[in-house]
């Protein structure tokens, strides 16, 4: 018979015989808010002090156990009790404490479970210490208890990898004691607690065991790991702090090692990388909250058509097949559809070769693919995505066909990079069903999906596009119609700034190096060589007739393309790629072309420091980002951030260009733009939004809340 005893709103407690059951109930993910911490502490003290209680069971309500500390509290004044205090109190309990885990036990949530004396999990449980993804480290005992439970290496893999493991792997690693059948964690936990009492199981404190059996071997492992991590983590702060905390635990008494861990944890809290990574975490969750996803329901999305089987059409088809949906691809003729099917199959053949999927699995996927040269085969599709040549007449002809054959209510999307989607929509009888779905190459890999919203589209079509992004596990960003939407429009600006610096004296290799040092995987000239210089060249030629004659135009890229040097696909571009190398080497002939262009343009070259290169590069990016927000092409600055984090390789720990601007201060960015405007006032026009925010002493973050 259960005896009700006092509870907090976020942690309800009840008695089940001799077991005190504490249920953490803080939707949506049972984050360890101050109230949850208070409730857990109360429960441990109540269990300790109530003579009738012989064990304490911790279990989560709703979707899972505990998803970790409440990330929204970071950077704010801490509220008592601290999580280390709660964990240490649980571990110190003189009566067995059992944690029953279902769904996720992440970060501080797993630390609470590791502070308990026994752990049981349902088969669906996911256990992890993902703090490193937020620029943090376990700060409530994780670096000390995980190695003691799992062994040194598995624990470090969990903390440095930041990826959760399943129940089976957790059991094998010693992180949990048992996997329970069924789907009722509370019942399984109670049964386990009663068994422990029946067998007079002792209290088992993880902190009592040594961190590592062989300290010298452990020290050598940690030394090597620190060296590897320093290389791999490209400037990330917290991974090395994790190793430092574990290493200290080899020699320090347990309590002291916990205090040391906390000290290192607070250093991570103060690091700007934490602010950038936490911003990225929440920004990726905010971008899906568009006006249309709040006001409209998505249409049916059970079958997809793709027109065009080239680079993008094939990648899009694979992304849709990977999401478990059937795909009908339409091409111009038999030869083209055969090529389209081959482009799709090539991806799966590669996975079979790598042993990532079986031939049977490939056959199952390809069974959902059908190729055709007849538009009539798209009549049943809920959504059709056009990915044909980047030519307005070709695209309008395709949409005329789709208007003729597609069923009423079908969503008609274009993957155009630059063309006017309003014009495409206006060319058919159902403009309300037309939307832009701008994938990035390779479309089955790149996470970003710009959802481009033309003037006449209906809200449920936009909602359907977001639903597709969810199914394809893409990161959707809502964009307005303009040349290049959000990403490519801003890219054009900072790429121009880079080209100006090359003509003025910097080498493309210096610029790439500075951009890599800033945290990017690649610099702009390496990216151009990867994507193919011919795409940008086609765009420049298309724009030649409308380009402002007063605007500065650097012809270096044209000179290189005129030689057919498009990059990796032609063996050379800005770099040389001998024998198909993937990493290029600087090309003296390119430097000669640059010198010749400087003379032709009458430019006296000068030196550029890495610092100045990045000031100009980022000022161009941020200034145009501000214009994109001001014009409503992006809903909020965070949409610009997510675009660059998930589609353009922007270093995640900086949070994106607009977050970076807030970190260095908008006044400094504006000052840079104004300084550079003295040389070229046409290119460097301060964004009115930047000027306005600086004048009001505000930052981009202040614009990140949609009209709440
Ligand atoms: N704190 C606050 N809010 C959180 C949260 C958290 N830990 N986790 C999720 N949310 C919000 C999220 O913003 C969203 O809000 C809603 O919950 C649903 O999330 C001391 C310091 C748990 C796997 O890193 O990985 O513990 O948008 O959309 O896809 O050592 O959320 O609806 O308003 O992501 O089903 C470590 C972070 C913290 C886990 C669920 N923990 N969360 O995924 O839903 S650091 C984490 C996740 C720590 C200690 C340290 C995922 C999820 P909204 P969602 P989901
Ligand atoms: P591609 O040349 O590789 O493929 C285009 C395909 O369209 C060809 O296979 C061609 O046979 C087919 N096609 C042409 N006219 C057709 C018609 N009337 N009916 C059916 N099929 C037809 O081009 P791509 O790189 O895949 O680009 C496709 C679209 O995606 C373009 O609008 C491009 O701007 C855009 N895009 C390209 C990239 C990229 O990095 N390549 C990235 C984003 C968007």
């Amino acid at each position: 018979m259960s005896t009700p005893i006092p509870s907090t709103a976020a942690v309800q407690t009840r008695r089940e015989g001799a077991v005190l059951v504490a249920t953490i109930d803080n939707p949506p993910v049972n984050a360890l808010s101050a109230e949850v911490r208070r409730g857990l502490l109360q429960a441990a003290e109540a269990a300790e002090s109530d003579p009738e209680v012989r064990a304490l069971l911790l279990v989560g309500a709703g979707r899972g156990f505990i998803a970790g500390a409440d990330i929204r509290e970071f950077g704010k004044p801490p509220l008592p009790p601290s999580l280390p205090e709660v964990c240490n109190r649980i571990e110190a309990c003189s009566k067995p404490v059992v944690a029953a885990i279902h769904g996720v036990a992440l970060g501080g949530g797993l630390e609470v479970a590791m502070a308990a004396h026994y752990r049981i999990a349902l088969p669906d449980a996911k256990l992890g210490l993902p703090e490193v993804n937020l620029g943090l480290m376990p700060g409530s005992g994780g670096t000390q208890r995980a190695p003691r439970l799992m062994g040194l290496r598995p624990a470090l893999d969990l903390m440095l990898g930041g990826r959760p493991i399943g129940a089976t792997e957790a059991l094998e690693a010693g992180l949990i004691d048992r996997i329970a059948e069924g789907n009722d964690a509370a019942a399984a936990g109670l049964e386990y607690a009663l068994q422990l009492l029946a067998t007079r199981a002792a209290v088992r404190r993880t902190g009592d065991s040594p961190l590592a059996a062989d300290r010298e071997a452990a020290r050598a492992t940690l030394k090597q790991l620190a060296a590897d991590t320093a290389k791999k983590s490209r400037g990330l702060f917290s991974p090395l702090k994790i190793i430092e905390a574990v290493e200290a635990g080899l020699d320090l008494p347990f309590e002291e090692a916990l205090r040391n861990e906390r000290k290192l944890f607070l250093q991570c809290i103060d690091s700007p990388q934490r602010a950038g990574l936490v911003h990225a975490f929440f920004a990726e969750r905010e971008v899906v909250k568009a006006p249309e996803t709040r006001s409209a329901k998505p249409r049916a999305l059970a079958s997809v058509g793709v027109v065009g089987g080239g680079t993008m059409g094939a990648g899009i088809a694979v992304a849709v097949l990977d999401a478990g949906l059937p795909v009908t691809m339409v091409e111009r003729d038999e030869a083209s559809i055969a090529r389209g099917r081959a482009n799709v199959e090539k991806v799966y053949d590669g996975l079979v070769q790598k042993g990532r999927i079986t031939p049977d699995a490939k056959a199952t996927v390809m069974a959902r693919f059908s190729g055709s040269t007849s538009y009539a085969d798209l009549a049943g599709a809920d959504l059709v995505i056009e990915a044909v040549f980047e030519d307005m007449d070709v695209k309008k002809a395709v949409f005329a066909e789709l208007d003729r054959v597609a069923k009423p209510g079908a969503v008609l999307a274009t993957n155009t990079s630059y063309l006017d989607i309003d014009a495409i929509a206006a060319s058919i009888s159902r403009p309300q069903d037309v939307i832009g779905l701008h994938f990035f190459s390779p479309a089955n890999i790149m996470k970003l999906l710009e959802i481009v919203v033309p003037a006449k589209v209906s809200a449920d079509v936009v909602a359907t596009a977001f639903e597709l992004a969810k199914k394809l596990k893409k990161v959707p960003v809502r964009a307005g119609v303009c040349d290049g939407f959000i990403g490519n429009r801003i890219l054009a600006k900072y790429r121009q700034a880079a080209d100006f610096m090359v003509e003025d004296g910097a080498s493309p290799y210096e610029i790439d190096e500075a951009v890599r040092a800033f945290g990017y995987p690649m610099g702009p000239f390496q990216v151009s060589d990867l994507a193919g210089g011919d795409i940008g060249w086609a765009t420049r030629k298309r724009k030649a007739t409308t380009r402002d004659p007063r605007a500065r135009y650097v012809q270096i890229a044209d000179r290189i393309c005129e030689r057919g040097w498009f990059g990796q696909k032609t063996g050379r571009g800005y770099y040389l790629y001998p024998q198909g190398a993937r990493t290029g080497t600087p090309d003296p002939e390119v430097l000669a072309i640059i010198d010749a262009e400087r003379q032709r343009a009458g430019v006296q070259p000068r030196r550029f420091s890495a610092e100045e290169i990045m000031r100009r590069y980022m000022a161009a990016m941020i200034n145009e980002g501000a214009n994109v927000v001001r014009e409503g092409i992006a809903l909020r600055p965070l949409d610009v951030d997510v675009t660059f984090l998930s589609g353009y390789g922007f270093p995640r720990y900086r949070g994106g260009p607009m977050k970076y601007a807030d970190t260095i201060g908008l006044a400094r960015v504006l000052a840079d733009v104004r300084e550079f405007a003295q040389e070229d006032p046409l290119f460097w026009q301060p964004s009115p939004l930047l000027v306005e925010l600086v004048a009001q002493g505000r930052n981009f973050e202040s614009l990140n809340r949609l009209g709440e």
Side-chain angles (χ1 to χ4, degrees):
M1 214 301 296
S2 66
T3 323
I5 58 173
S7 294
T8 65
V11 179
Q12 289 100 35
T13 51
R14 70 180 193 283
R15 279 275 303 286
E16 291 288 351
V19 179
L20 181 64
V21 182
T23 304
I24 299 106
D25 189 3
N26 182 28
V29 294
N30 292 342
L32 288 155
S33 63
E35 197 172 339
V36 171
R37 298 194 302 271
R38 257 199 312 280
L40 285 171
L41 195 59
Q42 273 181 11
E45 278 154 2
E48 191 70 62
S49 59
D50 184 336
E52 290 181 22
V53 170
R54 295 175 49 221
L56 171 63
L57 172 62
L58 307 176
V59 64
R63 298 161 46 163
F65 183 64
I66 301 171
D70 187 335
I71 304 171
R72 294 186 193 285
E73 289 184 358
F74 295 152
K76 298 185 182 128
L79 298 169
S82 73
L83 189 55
E85 191 186 340
V86 173
C87 289
N88 297 345
R89 183 69 197 82
I90 288 171
E91 185 170 66
C93 196
S94 66
K95 302 169 183 180
V97 181
V98 176
I101 300 166
H102 74 293
V104 298
L106 301 175
L110 182 55
E111 290 177 299
V112 166
M114 291 194 287
H117 307 134
Y118 295 90
R119 284 155 292 281
I120 185 168
L122 295 189
D124 75 338
K126 287 262 178 278
L127 300 88
L129 295 171
E131 287 87 344
V132 75
N133 302 332
L134 298 169
L136 292 168
M137 58 181 279
S140 306
T143 67
Q144 303 305 311
R145 293 192 175 98
R148 284 171 165 81
L149 288 171
M150 308 169 72
L152 190 70
R153 204 53 218 241
L156 282 159
D157 291 346
L158 199 65
M159 292 185 277
L160 294 172
R163 281 178 302 283
I165 59 176
T168 308
E169 192 179 346
L171 182 67
E172 283 155 9
L175 191 52
I176 59 172
D177 302 289
R178 199 176 277 196
I179 296 180
E181 293 319 311
N183 56 14
D184 183 341
L190 186 58
E191 186 190 336
Y192 185 30
L194 293 172
Q195 278 171 14
L196 289 167
L197 290 178
T199 57
R200 299 187 178 292
V203 160
R204 205 178 50 166
R205 297 191 176 92
T206 307
D208 294 346
S209 53
L211 189 142
D214 178 340
R215 264 198 292 177
E216 292 327 307
R219 215 182 298 285
T221 303
L222 288 165
K223 201 157 179 309
Q224 185 54 50
L225 196 56
D228 300 348
T229 303
K231 256 193 259 114
K232 265 193 303 185
S233 62
R234 289 222 320 267
L236 277 178
F237 182 76
S238 69
L240 292 171
K241 294 293 169 189
I242 291 172
I243 296 172
E244 191 180 333
V246 175
E247 186 161 17
L250 287 173
D251 305 313
L252 294 174
F254 184 63
E255 281 70 29
E256 229 178 295
L258 290 178
R259 282 191 291 279
N260 179 60
E261 173 198 78
R262 193 70 186 173
K263 190 189 73 197
L264 297 170
F265 171 77
L266 293 174
Q267 290 172 10
C268 294
I269 285 275
D270 295 340
S271 123
Q273 295 188 358
R274 184 271 304 164
L277 288 162
V278 167
H279 171 76
F281 175 87
F282 284 120
E284 278 163 358
R285 282 155 182 79
E286 287 302 308
V287 285
V288 297
K289 300 171 187 166
E292 296 87 355
T293 57
R294 291 174 180 215
S295 65
K297 288 247 165 306
R299 296 182 185 175
L301 199 45
S303 59
V304 176
V306 175
V307 183
T311 309
M312 295 309 289
I316 293 168
V318 171
V320 174
L321 289 168
D322 286 350
L325 294 168
V327 172
T328 302
M329 177 183 283
V330 168
E331 260 281 2
R332 294 177 292 169
D333 51 42
E334 288 308 330
S336 304
I337 190 60
R339 208 177 35 249
R341 175 189 289 274
N343 287 341
V344 171
E345 263 192 293
K346 200 167 56 192
V347 175
Y348 294 107
D349 289 338
L351 294 175
V352 170
Q353 254 156 28
K354 290 189 196 120
R356 300 253 297 275
I357 62 170
T358 63
D360 287 355
K362 177 205 154 191
T364 310
V365 171
M366 287 307 292
R368 282 189 275 106
F369 175 89
S370 54
S372 169
T373 57
S374 163
Y375 278 84
D377 290 333
L378 296 172
D382 294 320
L383 161 70
V384 182
I385 305 171
E386 163 276 313
V388 302
F389 299 139
E390 185 74 348
D391 177 286
M392 186 57 97
D393 295 340
V394 175
K395 291 195 187 291
K396 281 185 175 173
V398 169
F399 272 79
E401 281 295 289
L402 295 178
D403 198 12
R404 182 177 61 78
V405 301
K407 66 181 179 185
V411 173
L412 307 177
T414 173
N415 183 51
T416 181
S417 303
Y418 290 95
L419 298 175
D420 181 350
I421 302 175
D422 285 317
I424 294 174
S427 72
I428 65 169
S429 69
R430 42 177 130 176
Q432 75 283 1
D433 297 334
V434 176
I435 192 162
L437 288 178
H438 186 219
F439 289 81
F440 289 74
S441 181
N444 55 311
I445 308 286
M446 293 298 286
K447 282 284 175 205
L448 178 63
L449 176 61
E450 280 183 318
I451 295 178
V452 188
V453 179
K456 293 244 173 44
V457 71
S458 61
D460 64 345
V461 168
V462 180
T464 308
F466 274 88
E467 184 63 20
L468 177 79
K470 199 169 171 184
K471 283 183 188 291
L472 273 53
K473 296 192 173 53
K474 296 292 184 191
V475 176
V477 176
R478 184 191 186 285
V481 173
C482 70
D483 197 356
F485 319 130
I486 297 175
N488 285 348
R489 171 175 164 177
I490 296 171
L491 165 69
K493 283 291 181 184
Y494 62 82
R495 179 54 206 269
Q496 270 182 289
D499 288 338
F500 294 164
M501 286 190 269
V502 170
E503 193 168 64
D504 292 341
S507 91
Y509 315 122
E510 279 174 327
I511 293 176
D512 279 355
E513 199 175 325
V515 171
R516 286 196 307 273
F518 183 79
Y520 272 89
M522 281 186 185
F525 300 102
Q526 289 168 290
V527 171
S528 168
D529 278 3
L530 178 71
D534 49 329
I535 297 178
W537 196 26
T539 308
R540 292 192 299 277
K541 282 192 266 188
R542 178 170 57 80
K543 289 185 175 174
T545 49
T546 54
R547 188 177 300 123
D548 183 331
R550 302 163 304 149
R552 181 177 180 184
Y553 182 71
V554 173
Q555 301 180 20
I556 293 167
D558 296 347
R559 292 297 89 79
I560 293 172
C561 286
E562 284 153 8
R563 287 167 170 76
W565 301 353
F566 298 144
Q568 291 190 18
K569 60 183 168 186
T570 56
R572 66 188 306 178
Y574 282 91
Y575 295 80
L576 291 165
Y577 302 90
Q579 286 89 41
R582 297 304 303 270
T583 309
T585 48
D587 182 351
E589 287 190 57
V590 167
L591 295 176
I593 291 169
I594 294 170
D595 285 342
E597 274 302 307
R598 287 172 182 156
Q599 278 155 28
R600 184 194 59 73
V603 172
Q604 189 50 48
R606 66 175 181 85
R607 304 257 340 111
F608 282 80
S609 66
E611 184 269 343
E612 181 184 356
I613 288 171
M614 287 319 295
R615 268 198 311 126
R616 288 172 177 270
Y617 199 75
M618 290 311 300
M621 192 186 299
I622 295 162
N623 193 54
E624 192 61 15
N627 287 334
V628 161
V629 173
R630 181 169 172 273
E631 294 166 25
I633 300 296
L635 286 173
R636 302 147 290 209
L638 69 83
D639 294 79
V640 176
D641 287 333
V642 173
T643 297
F644 281 83
L645 291 175
S646 52
Y648 293 79
F650 195 94
R652 194 176 169 81
Y653 64 81
R654 294 185 187 278
M658 312 314 272
K659 176 64 182 175
Y660 172 74
D662 280 356
T663 308
I664 63 172
L666 300 194
R668 193 175 128 196
V669 178
L670 181 57
D672 283 346
V673 174
R674 287 184 168 147
E675 176 194 327
F676 306 143
Q678 289 157 25
E679 308 150 12
D680 184 348
L682 186 62
F683 179 79
W684 294 103
Q685 297 175 42
S687 165
L689 178 62
L690 192 55
V691 174
E692 186 190 315
L693 289 173
V694 170
Q696 296 165 354
R698 293 171 59 201
N699 64 8
F700 288 127
E701 179 60 24
S702 68
L703 301 173
N704 275 336
R705 290 282 155 264
L706 276 184
E708 284 178 350

